[in-house]
C-alpha cells in the first residue's frame, strides 16, 4: 500500500528542489559585474557599487519573496503531489544533479562538456535530445533565463550609466537593455540545452521519461508556471532596487 506524502508548504517544496542554491548565484554575479564595466572606475563609483550591493540580491530574501508570490496559488493536492515527487529517490537524484551543475565547476562543465554532449545527441540519442527539449520547455527554462538575463542586464546598465556620470529613468535603462539583448533568447536556448545535456547525462532514459511525466502533470505544470511568474517579478524588483540604490549612492537620486 502506498502512503500519500503529507502536504508541505510551498517554501519547503522550493527548498527541496534547489531554489535557494540557484538564487545564491545571482548576488555574486552582480557584485562581480562591476569588473565588466568599461573604462577606469573612480573610487567613488566603486564605493557606491558596494553600497548598493548591500542587501541586494540576497538569496534568503529573494526566496521568501518568491514564496509570497506563490502563496495560495497551488492546491493542497498539488502540494502533496509535489512533496511526494521531491521526497522520492528520483526527485532527490534529479535535484542533486541540478544543484551540482549550478555550482561554479558545474557552470564551466556545462559550457564545455555540455556543448560537446549536445552536439553528439542528434545522431547518438535523438530520443534523449527530444526529452531534454520537452523538459526544458516544461520548466520554462528559456523564459526564466531570459527574464533573469534582462533584469541582471538592467543592473549592469545602471552601472554603466552611473559610471558615465548620468542618471536615467527605469524605462529608458530597460529599453537600452532590450536593444542590447535583442538576440539573447537564442543564446539562452543554446545554453539551456547544453546545461541539460551535461546535467542529466548519466540519468537513465527511463528515469528521464518519469521526470518528464512529472513535469507535465497538473501539479508540475502549475508549479513551474507559478515559479516563472514569481522569479520574474522578484528578480525585476531586485534589479530596480539595486539601480535606485546605486544612483542614490552616487548622489543622482533621493533615497
Amino acid at each position: 500500500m502506498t502512503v500519500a506524502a503529507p502536504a508541505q508548504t510551498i517554501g519547503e517544496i522550493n527548498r527541496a528542489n534547489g531554489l535557494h542554491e540557484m538564487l545564491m548565484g545571482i548576488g555574486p554575479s552582480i557584485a562581480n559585474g562591476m569588473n565588466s564595466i568599461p573604462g577606469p572606475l573612480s573610487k567613488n563609483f566603486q564605493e557606491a557599487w558596494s553600497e548598493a550591493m548591500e542587501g541586494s540580491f540576497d538569496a534568503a530574501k529573494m526566496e521568501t519573496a518568491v514564496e509570497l508570490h506563490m502563496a495560495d496559488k497551488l492546491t493542497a493536492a498539488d502540494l502533496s503531489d509535489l512533496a511526494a515527487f521531491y521526497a522520492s529517490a528520483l526527485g532527490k537524484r534529479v535535484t542533486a544533479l541540478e544543484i551540482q551543475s549550478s555550482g561554479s565547476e558545474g557552470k564551466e562543465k556545462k559550457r564545455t562538456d555540455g556543448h560537446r554532449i549536445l552536439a553528439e545527441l542528434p545522431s547518438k540519442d535523438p530520443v534523449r535530445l527530444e526529452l531534454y527539449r520537452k523538459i526544458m520547455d516544461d520548466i520554462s527554462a528559456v523564459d526564466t533565463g531570459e527574464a533573469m538575463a534582462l533584469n541582471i542586464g538592467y543592473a549592469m546598465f545602471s552601472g554603466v550609466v552611473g559610471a558615465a556620470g548620468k542618471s536615467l529613468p527605469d524605462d529608458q535603462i530597460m529599453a537600452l537593455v532590450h536593444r542590447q539583448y535583442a538576440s539573447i533568447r537564442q543564446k539562452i536556448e543554446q545554453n539551456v540545452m547544453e546545461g541539460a545535456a551535461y546535467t542529466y547525462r548519466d540519468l537513465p532514459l527511463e528515469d528521464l521519461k518519469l521526470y518528464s511525466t512529472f513535469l507535465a502533470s497538473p501539479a508540475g505544470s502549475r508549479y513551474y508556471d507559478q515559479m516563472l511568474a514569481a522569479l520574474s517579478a522578484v528578480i525585476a524588483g531586485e534589479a530596480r532596487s539595486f539601480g535606485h540604490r546605486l544612483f542614490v549612492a552616487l548622489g543622482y537620486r533621493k533615497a
Side-chain angles (χ1 to χ4, degrees):
M1 178 179 176
T2 301
V3 178
Q8 296 186 16
T9 66
I10 192 65
E12 290 171 327
I13 289 167
N14 287 348
R15 285 187 288 277
N17 81 357
L19 174 67
H20 185 77
E21 287 77 6
M22 184 272 282
L23 293 175
M24 282 181 65
I26 298 176
S29 295
I30 300 296
N32 294 329
M34 183 171 61
N35 300 325
S36 65
I37 297 175
L41 302 176
S42 68
K43 183 179 179 181
N44 178 55
F45 178 82
Q46 294 179 48
E47 290 176 347
W49 184 279
S50 296
E51 183 178 335
M53 276 303 303
E54 292 180 11
S56 295
F57 298 99
D58 176 76
K61 183 177 71 173
M62 288 190 289
E63 187 175 5
T64 298
V66 167
E67 290 176 23
L68 289 174
H69 274 274
M70 298 180 74
D72 302 322
K73 299 293 175 59
L74 299 171
T75 67
D78 287 337
L79 295 175
S80 184
D81 288 348
L82 291 163
F85 175 77
Y86 287 111
S88 70
L90 176 59
K92 289 179 179 179
R93 184 175 184 190
V94 166
T95 299
L97 291 174
E98 291 170 348
I99 291 175
Q100 185 179 40
S101 70
S102 69
S104 56
E105 183 178 348
K107 288 179 180 177
E108 181 59 31
K109 289 284 189 180
K110 283 190 284 190
R111 283 192 291 268
T112 55
D113 292 13
H115 180 80
R116 174 183 55 78
I117 295 169
L118 183 64
E120 296 172 348
L121 284 176
S123 59
K124 284 190 173 181
D125 200 341
V127 174
R128 179 176 285 269
L129 177 60
E130 286 306 310
L131 276 170
Y132 288 161
R133 288 196 178 112
K134 186 175 185 306
I135 287 170
M136 293 302 99
D137 183 58
D138 285 341
I139 66 173
S140 303
V142 176
D143 290 336
T144 301
E146 184 177 40
M148 291 181 66
L150 289 173
N151 285 296
I152 290 173
Y154 171 94
M156 295 297 101
F157 268 74
S158 296
V160 172
V161 171
K166 300 177 182 179
S167 175
L168 291 176
D170 289 350
D171 59 342
Q172 289 187 29
I173 295 177
M174 188 53 85
L176 289 172
V177 173
H178 276 282
R179 283 201 293 272
Q180 183 70 24
Y181 284 29
S183 61
I184 191 68
R185 189 173 181 87
Q186 184 177 357
K187 182 177 180 181
I188 289 173
E189 286 175 352
Q190 179 69 19
N191 290 344
V192 160
M193 287 302 295
E194 289 174 357
Y198 173 75
T199 301
Y200 309 115
R201 66 196 183 282
D202 294 327
L203 195 65
L205 195 60
E206 288 307 310
D207 284 349
L208 202 61
K209 290 178 180 177
L210 290 173
Y211 184 34
S212 178
T213 298
F214 159 72
L215 293 174
S217 69
S221 180
R222 281 192 286 268
Y223 176 72
Y224 279 97
D225 283 348
Q226 293 301 325
M227 177 63 75
L228 170 61
L231 278 174
S232 297
V234 170
I235 300 300
E238 285 296 308
R240 282 160 179 74
S241 176
F242 172 81
H244 180 77
R245 289 184 187 195
L246 179 62
F247 288 141
V248 168
L250 289 168
Y252 301 143
R253 295 183 186 174
K254 293 182 180 179

